[in-house]
Amino acid sequence: MKWVIGNWKSNGAWSQNEALLVALKALVCENTRVGVCVPFPYLAQAQRMLQESKVLWGAQNVSPFGPGAYTGEVHAEMLCDFGCRLTIVGHSERRQYFGETNAQIAEKIQRLNAVAITPIWCVGETLEERERGAWQDVLRQQIVEVVEIVGAAAVENVLIAYEPVWAIGTGRNARPEDVAEAHAWLRRMLTEAGARPDLPILYGGSVKGGNAAELFAVEGCDGGLIGGASLSATEFAAIVAAAEKE
């Protein structure tokens, strides 16, 4: 069974969301686990509209802290109030623009585990890292450092999302063989770190309706974390349809 999870990023408006969420509710997802991660202000809307459906909903980030004097933070217990089942941690944009470290990502995974919300743990390399042949070392560090902090048991129920940053919005596309190689390497790193090598690994590099079937057919690819295409009901439906056929 594949996973298809939308990430709206910093997009959305109350009226526009309504139509998109209605379309999500209508999706046929008998053989696919479908979810959507929305900005914090729209969690209540997602909860209200999706609670009678098969579609899971969640957040795009979580505080590494619990309750307390952390102005502007949204902690894991708050996400529970909105019925969140999923939350993204370590997205490439959080690493790039907000300087998130592996240590912070590890803390976020632990916070989510404590309230039974599934972390979607993002890993991946930049174009510069890919071109200088460092992508394997980067993925090793991202996996091993987190597992060393939290312990193998803490990542028993995570979803991993492989984001080749070099293939997102750059005009360059990862070939199926690139995806297969990276997912296989990640499983090897999980084994070396003492974690489960069979954790679901989703691909998060510009998945669209037109390439979803090819990517989902890659050995070791358990679905996709969908960015821009998740803002289009038609595109997202096509991606889910491709997953349903796998």
Side-chain angles (χ1 to χ4, degrees), residues 57-59 61-63 65-67 74-87 89 107-119 154 157:
W57 63 92
N61 191 26
V62 66
S63 175
F65 305 107
V74 176
H75 61 72
E77 289 86 347
M78 291 175 176
L79 299 184
C80 290
D81 285 340
F82 295 97
C84 290
R85 300 280 301 280
L86 309 163
T87 294
V89 296
E107 183 62 41
K108 293 180 180 188
I109 288 173
Q110 290 179 309
R111 295 286 179 183
L112 293 171
N113 281 344
V115 295
I117 295 176
T118 298
N157 298 307

Side-chain angles (χ1 to χ4, degrees), residues 28-107:
V28 176
C29 46
E30 298 298 326
N31 303 310
T32 310
R33 294 184 177 93
V34 177
V36 61
C37 293
V38 306
F40 292 134
Y42 303 130
L43 284 174
Q45 187 181 26
Q47 180 183 35
R48 175 176 58 83
M49 295 193 65
L50 297 176
Q51 59 187 346
E52 301 300 327
S53 75
K54 293 183 178 181
V55 179
L56 306 175
W57 63 92
Q60 300 170 359
N61 191 26
V62 66
S63 175
F65 305 107
Y70 305 105
T71 301
E73 291 293 282
V74 176
H75 61 72
E77 289 86 347
M78 291 175 176
L79 299 184
C80 290
D81 285 340
F82 295 97
C84 290
R85 300 280 301 280
L86 309 163
T87 294
I88 298 171
V89 296
H91 192 278
S92 60
E93 291 157 3
R94 299 297 310 177
R95 294 177 189 262
Q96 178 181 356
Y97 300 127
F98 303 98
E100 289 197 1
T101 65
N102 291 327
Q104 289 173 315
I105 292 162
E107 183 62 41

